[in-house]
């Protein structure tokens, strides 16, 4: 492995910087420019990543030291080892509940149980203190200040309490961001980039109760951390994924985090995912000992769909607040160097699907992507300065999103008014002393591209330039079109090609409403086709056909 690192680095230089062989119009970056543009635009955003939920891309991500992160659990002691963290406390609180393992589970059932046994021992040790004794002081790595409220520790049995842990990043965290809704345990392709590509199909998918977290989650976490150790030279601390909220799988809590506080949550405020699909702590639905998936006991729940009652309002409010981005510069991505399967000549859209599937690509064809992912991690870091290409895609989307849907809407009743509207839009790019449509298209296309990037061979630069050019040249073509219907069709085809998620955003939701899109495991087909404003306390309508279908695996 070590000896191949330099070779990988060379591969990296060739492929990641876009060698000249890769700059023809027929190459995949140009063919998939619209998808790559959307990868950049959707990244670290709950909205775009929910609609374009099948990620095929990997970014180096930096979470700055001091960023607060949250962990929900049945345990009141700081985590040592690999676990999950949420960016929003409301997301972590979903897991801040008593452990629900069946009482008759045998110890040899596996890892989760081992951890629990460790915790039981911890509980017993503390209970040796006499009544009224305070439990032992905070662990030495707690920061100065008021100790965490361990006082109630012995009052509640583990089976009755849940805890919300707050941690702060003890250093800049170096993570791999797996895009799309990559923490969604579905069969629709949300796991392909991990299970098929990153883990090279080595995930043992045969259900073995107890040996791993539900639906392979422990194994995914373990494997990612093993790869960091063995293949990536310890250059990565964990991964970022998304479900109903963004999460981090962090390999070494004790090394990378400073515990801030541990508080006990309201005992009856346990909340779950939707009825029948409640998450386990490890992110999967809980299984009772008969193997059937059950909802939260006594949870108000809806008939099959939305998370129950007030708690779901809390959770979904927090999640949807991040539709437009995780915010606060809590995560920055390296957009100058990233790996996306869209940059390779792969047939990602079989069966006329509008979303890519890595699982359908012949496995050998993915090896080049796997190698480039390794090379990316070995050659680059999330901390290095890179241009914010997402901000550039934002300027383009904000400028043209409404404009294009208006032009495509059929509201224009004569070709002259359509021409006039397009001319007004393009006028900054027209030299009326010397009309030249190709110069006009290029001036328009490069409006938002910093000068130094206009001939750049960086993946993001090529894809963004291509998409912007397509917008501008299509407008010119529609302007040249004499037939209204044909002109509108051209813009409609452009809208289909661009597939911007801005066009599915709700307009004018009331203060008590949120815009609802399927977020695993919730949501219906209708929610996907046309997201609408819904009551925040009860966002998911249970009557429609479930968008996600069965649970993976
Ligand atoms: C974490 O666990 C390891 C292995 O069990 C142990 O050696 C280490 O001291 C623990 N660290 C902390 C901070 O508890
Ligand atoms: C894909 O779409 C084309 C054209 O619309 C159609 O001819 C073909 O049968 C479709 N293939 C599948 C697998 O649905
Ligand atoms: C993926 O696995 C196959 C065999 O299953 C192996 O030949 C290939 O080298 C692996 N790829 C990487 C990048 O490790
Ligand atoms: C410019 O106009 C010519 C002739 O109408 C056409 O063939 C060409 O595609 C146009 N180019 C652009 C960028 O619109």
């Amino acid at each position: 492995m070590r000896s191949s690192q330099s070779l990988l680095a060379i591969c990296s230089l060739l492929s990641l910087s876009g060698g000249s062989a890769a700059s023809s119009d027929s190459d995949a970056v140009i063919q998939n420019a619209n998808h790559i543009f959307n990868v950049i635009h959707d990244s670290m955003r709950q909205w775009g990543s929910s609609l374009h939920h099948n990620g095929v891309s990997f970014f180096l991500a930096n979470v700055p030291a001091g960023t607060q992160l949250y962990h929900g659990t049945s345990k009141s002691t700081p985590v040592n080892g690999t676990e999950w963290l949420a960016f929003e406390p409301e997301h972590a609180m979903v897991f801040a509940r008593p452990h629900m393992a069946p009482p008759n589970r045998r110890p040899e059932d596996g890892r989760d149980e081992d951890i629990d046994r460790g915790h039981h021992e911890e509980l017993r040790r503390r209970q040796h203190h006499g009544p009224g004794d305070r439990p032992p002081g905070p662990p030495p790595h707690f920061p100065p200040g008021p100790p965490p409220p361990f006082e109630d520790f012995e009052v509640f049995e583990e089976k009755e309490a849940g805890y919300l842990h707050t941690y702060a990043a003890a250093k800049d965290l170096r993570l791999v961001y797996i895009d799309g809704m990559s923490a969604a345990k579905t069969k629709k392709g949300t796991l392909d980039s991990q299970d098929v590509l990153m883990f090279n199909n080595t995930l043992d998918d045969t259900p073995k109760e107890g040996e791993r977290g539900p639906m392979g989650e422990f194994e995914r976490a373990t494997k990612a951390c093993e790869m960091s150790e063995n293949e990536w030279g310890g250059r990565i601390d964990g991964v970022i994924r998304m479900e109903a909220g963004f999460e981090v799988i962090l390999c070494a809590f004790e090394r990378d985090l400073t515990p801030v506080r541990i508080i006990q949550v309201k005992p009856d405020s346990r909340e779950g995912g939707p009825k029948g699909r409640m998450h386990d702590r490890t992110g999967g639905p809980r299984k009772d000992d008969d193997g059937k998936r059950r909802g939260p006991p006594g949870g108000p729940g809806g008939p099959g769909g939305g998370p129950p009652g007030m708690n779901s309002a809390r959770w979904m409010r927090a999640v949807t607040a991040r539709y437009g981005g995780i915010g606060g510069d809590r995560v920055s991505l390296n957009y100058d160097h990233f790996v996306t399967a869209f940059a390779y000549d792969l047939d990602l859209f079989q069966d006329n699907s509008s979303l890519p599937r890595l699982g359908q690509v012949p496995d050998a064809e993915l090896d080049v992507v796997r190698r480039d992912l390794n090379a990316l991690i070995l050659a680059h870091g999330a901390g290095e300065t890179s241009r914010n290409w997402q901000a550039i895609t934002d300027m383009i989307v904000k400028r043209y999103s409404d404009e294009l849907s208006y032009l495509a809407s059929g509201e224009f009743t004569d070709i002259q008014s359509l021409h006039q509207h397009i001319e007004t839009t393009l006028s900054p790019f027209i030299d009326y002393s010397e009309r030249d449509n190709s110069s006009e298209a290029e001036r328009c296309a490069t409006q938002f591209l910093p000068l130094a990037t206009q001939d750049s061979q960086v993946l993001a630069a090529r894809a963004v330039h291509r998409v912007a050019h397509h917008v501008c040249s299509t407008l010119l073509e529609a302007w040249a079109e004499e037939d209204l219907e044909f002109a509108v069709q051209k813009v409609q085809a452009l809208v289909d090609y661009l597939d911007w998620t801005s066009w599915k955003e709700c307009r004018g939701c009331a203060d008590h409403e949120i815009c609802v899109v399927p977020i695993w495991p919730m949501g219906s087909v209708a929610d996907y086709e046309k997201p609408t404003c819904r009551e925040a306390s009860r966002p998911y309508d249970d009557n429609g056909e479930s968008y996600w279908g069965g649970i993976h695996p």
Side-chain angles (χ1 to χ4, degrees), residues 106-124:
R106 295 178 314 277
E108 61 269 28
D109 271 353
R111 187 196 304 270
D112 199 11
E113 193 65 28
D114 289 344
I115 292 169
D116 289 339
R117 266 185 297 149
H119 184 58
H120 285 305
E121 276 154 28
E122 175 90 34
L123 270 173
R124 275 195 294 276

Side-chain angles (χ1 to χ4, degrees), residues 75-316:
K75 302 166 180 70
S76 61
T77 45
V79 175
N80 182 5
T82 302
E83 262 293 352
W84 281 253
L85 287 161
F87 283 86
E88 312 301 331
E90 295 88 345
H91 183 194
M93 283 171 85
V94 174
F95 309 104
R97 54 180 181 78
H99 186 66
M100 293 298 198
N104 59 350
R105 223 162 105 179
R106 295 178 314 277
E108 61 269 28
D109 271 353
R111 187 196 304 270
D112 199 11
E113 193 65 28
D114 289 344
I115 292 169
D116 289 339
R117 266 185 297 149
H119 184 58
H120 285 305
E121 276 154 28
E122 175 90 34
L123 270 173
R124 275 195 294 276
R125 192 155 47 79
R126 294 193 177 202
Q127 279 161 354
H128 286 151
H129 292 268
D133 272 12
R134 290 174 64 88
H141 49 297
F142 268 77
F150 278 130
E151 293 91 299
D152 294 338
F153 184 83
E154 292 171 85
V155 176
F156 288 92
E157 287 280 293
E158 171 187 286
K159 283 187 171 54
E160 287 154 27
Y163 296 88
L164 176 64
H165 296 203
T166 303
Y167 296 93
K171 57 164 193 169
D172 288 358
L173 302 178
R174 306 157 303 167
L175 307 170
V176 173
Y177 167 49
I178 305 166
D179 80 338
M181 203 184 295
S182 52
K185 273 62 76 177
T186 79
K187 293 175 180 165
K188 290 180 92 78
T190 53
L191 292 169
D192 286 3
S193 60
Q194 287 164 87
D195 295 1
V196 175
L197 202 146
M198 191 167 158
F199 301 139
N200 198 2
N201 299 302
T202 56
L203 204 69
D204 181 3
D205 222 19
T206 51
K208 276 189 248 73
E209 182 68 26
E211 284 223 334
R212 57 198 176 92
M215 298 176 294
E217 281 292 89
F218 258 119
E219 208 180 335
R220 282 185 196 100
T222 309
K223 264 201 195 308
C225 294
E226 277 171 9
M227 286 180 83
S228 169
E229 196 69 22
N230 302 330
E231 289 172 50
W232 303 333
R235 294 171 60 89
I236 292 297
D237 302 318
V239 301
I240 300 182
R241 309 188 305 173
M242 192 203 86
E243 49 175 16
F246 282 88
E247 67 175 28
V248 173
I249 295 174
L250 195 69
C251 297
F253 267 48
E254 74 288 356
R255 183 192 66 199
D256 294 342
L257 298 176
T258 306
V260 175
R261 78 184 79 89
I262 294 173
I263 56 176
Q264 186 182 308
V265 302
K266 194 174 175 185
D268 62 354
S269 75
R270 90 185 41 149
E271 62 186 293
K275 195 178 175 198
R277 292 166 185 169
M278 188 165 176
H279 291 200
D280 194 344
R281 262 235 53 296
T282 49
R286 193 178 68 246
K287 272 185 178 177
D288 283 336
D289 46 349
D290 59 358
K292 292 219 177 73
R293 296 187 168 92
R294 295 255 166 82
M310 294 301 291
N311 296 337
S312 82
R314 181 175 67 204
W315 182 20
M316 290 309 292

Side-chain angles (χ1 to χ4, degrees), residues 261-545:
R261 78 184 79 89
I262 294 173
I263 56 176
Q264 186 182 308
V265 302
K266 194 174 175 185
D268 62 354
S269 75
R270 90 185 41 149
E271 62 186 293
K275 195 178 175 198
R277 292 166 185 169
M278 188 165 176
H279 291 200
D280 194 344
R281 262 235 53 296
T282 49
R286 193 178 68 246
K287 272 185 178 177
D288 283 336
D289 46 349
D290 59 358
K292 292 219 177 73
R293 296 187 168 92
R294 295 255 166 82
M310 294 301 291
N311 296 337
S312 82
R314 181 175 67 204
W315 182 20
M316 290 309 292
R317 280 276 191 198
V319 167
T320 58
R322 306 298 164 222
Y323 270 156
I326 190 80
D329 293 330
R330 290 185 289 176
V331 178
S332 52
L333 303 183
N334 186 336
Y335 290 109
D336 278 343
H337 302 280
F338 66 97
V339 165
T340 174
F342 286 130
Y344 302 81
D345 190 14
L346 303 170
D347 186 5
L348 293 167
F349 297 95
Q350 295 175 25
D351 309 334
N352 291 345
S353 162
S354 61
L355 294 171
R357 282 303 303 254
L358 284 164
Q360 291 167 344
V361 174
D363 196 49
E365 294 180 23
L366 294 177
D367 243 18
V368 58
V369 192
R370 294 184 184 112
R371 283 198 302 268
D372 282 353
L373 173 60
N374 289 339
L376 170 78
I377 293 167
L378 293 176
H380 294 282
E384 65 194 43
T385 20
S386 73
R387 194 174 289 281
N388 185 352
W389 282 99
Q390 187 178 47
I392 294 173
T393 64
D394 277 341
M395 284 199 286
I396 296 167
V397 171
K398 289 227 161 68
R399 177 64 186 85
Y400 292 110
S401 178
D402 288 354
E403 200 90 79
L404 294 179
S405 57
Y406 180 46
L407 286 168
S409 66
E411 285 195 37
F412 289 90
T413 50
D414 62 282
I415 188 75
Q416 285 77 25
S417 55
L418 184 94
H419 284 174
Q420 241 166 44
H421 190 90
I422 295 176
E423 178 167 4
T424 308
T425 306
L426 293 179
S427 57
F429 314 110
I430 299 171
D431 179 350
Y432 278 90
S433 73
E434 193 184 2
R435 291 298 310 271
D436 170 9
N437 66 353
S438 65
S439 300
E440 289 157 10
E442 185 62 7
R443 285 178 206 137
C444 164
T446 53
Q447 182 193 356
F448 300 115
L449 300 179
L451 209 54
T453 69
Q454 293 180 3
D455 295 314
S456 169
Q457 292 304 303
V458 165
L459 176 60
R462 296 183 64 216
V464 172
H465 192 160
R466 177 69 176 201
V467 165
H469 194 277
H470 201 74
V471 170
C472 298
S473 64
T474 305
L475 289 176
L476 281 164
E477 282 169 28
W479 185 4
E481 185 58 67
E482 285 309 321
D483 182 272
L484 177 63
E485 201 180 316
F486 287 166
V488 169
Q489 274 171 14
K490 279 194 159 55
V491 183
Q492 275 165 351
L494 173 64
V495 166
D496 289 345
Y497 164 83
L498 294 172
D499 190 26
W500 288 344
T501 57
S502 54
W503 289 312
K504 283 195 173 180
E505 283 168 9
C506 304
R507 300 278 174 112
C509 294
D511 292 348
H512 58 92
E513 292 176 326
I514 56 176
C515 184
V516 169
V517 67
I519 298 177
W520 179 83
M522 303 161 287
S524 67
V525 173
D527 293 332
Y528 189 87
E529 297 307 326
K530 193 178 183 343
T532 50
C533 302
R534 294 260 181 70
E535 206 55 56
S537 59
R538 210 186 149 68
Y540 288 99
D541 172 12
D542 312 310
N543 300 320
E545 181 194 346

